[in-house]
Amino acid sequence: MTDKDLSKSQVERSAAADLFDLVFRGEIAPGNSDAEVKQRVAVSFNLDSAAADQLFSGAQVRLKRGVDKPTAERILQRLTDAGAIAMIVPSSVQPETQESLAQDPLSLAPLGTNVLDDNEEVKREKAAIKKPVLPSLDHLSLEPVGTRMVRDTEVPPIKAPDLDTSKFSLE
C-alpha cells in the first residue's frame, strides 16, 4: 500500500466517523399525548397521516443516515420541539452505500407493544380455547433437603453372593 492509498483510506474512515444517523422509535416526551406529538411531527416534517402513523409504529426508524453533526442536531431539535424523543448515533454507513440500505430489519418495540401478527393472535386465541390436559401431580410431594429420595421399601433386597475364598491367602 502506498502513502497515497493510506491517506485516502484514512480520509474515508475519518469521513465515515464524522457521519451520524438519527434514530427514532416512536417515543414521546412525558407530558405529551401521542396524537398531539404525531400531529406536530407531521406538520414540522410535512408528512401525510400514513407516513406519520408508520413513523410512530414503535419500530426503530433511521430518519436520516450519514449526515453531519449540525444537520443531525437540527433535525433532533425539531423532533424535540414537537415532543418526540430521538437519538443521534454514529453512522455505520459508508457514504457510497448509504442510499442502498433499507430500514433496519430488527429493532426493539416499546414496552406494551403488541408484536404478534394478526394471524398469530388468532392462532394463540384458538390454542387458549383448547386447554391442554395436564397430568395429575397429586401423588408428588417435596421433602426437606438431605432426605433420602428412595425409601427402603422401594429398593429390592440385595442378595450377598456366595463366594468361596478359601483358596486365597494373604502373605
Side-chain angles (χ1 to χ4, degrees), residues 69-126:
K69 185 80 169 184
T71 302
E73 287 175 346
R74 198 169 48 250
I75 296 168
L76 179 64
Q77 187 59 52
R78 285 174 63 188
L79 287 167
T80 303
D81 291 344
I85 300 173
M87 297 182 301
I88 297 175
V89 296
S91 181
S92 58
V93 178
Q94 297 298 325
E96 62 273 3
T97 61
Q98 69 184 14
E99 291 83 21
S100 66
L101 292 179
Q103 179 179 338
D104 289 342
L106 300 176
S107 66
L108 293 176
L111 183 62
T113 302
N114 184 5
V115 295
L116 295 177
D117 293 338
D118 291 335
N119 291 338
E120 291 177 13
E121 282 190 54
V122 171
K123 288 177 187 175
R124 179 180 265 185
E125 288 173 4
K126 286 181 180 177

Side-chain angles (χ1 to χ4, degrees), residues 2 6 13-14 19 25 35 51 55 59-60 62 66-67 69 72 79 81 83 103 106 123 125 131 137 151 156 163:
T2 65
L6 182 61
R13 268 185 275 148
S14 175
L19 297 177
R25 291 190 178 116
L55 195 61
Q60 177 175 304
R62 292 195 183 259
V67 296
K69 185 80 169 184
L79 287 167
D81 291 344
Q103 179 179 338
L106 300 176
K123 288 177 187 175
E125 288 173 4
K131 293 188 177 182
L137 304 176
R151 295 187 178 124
L163 298 176

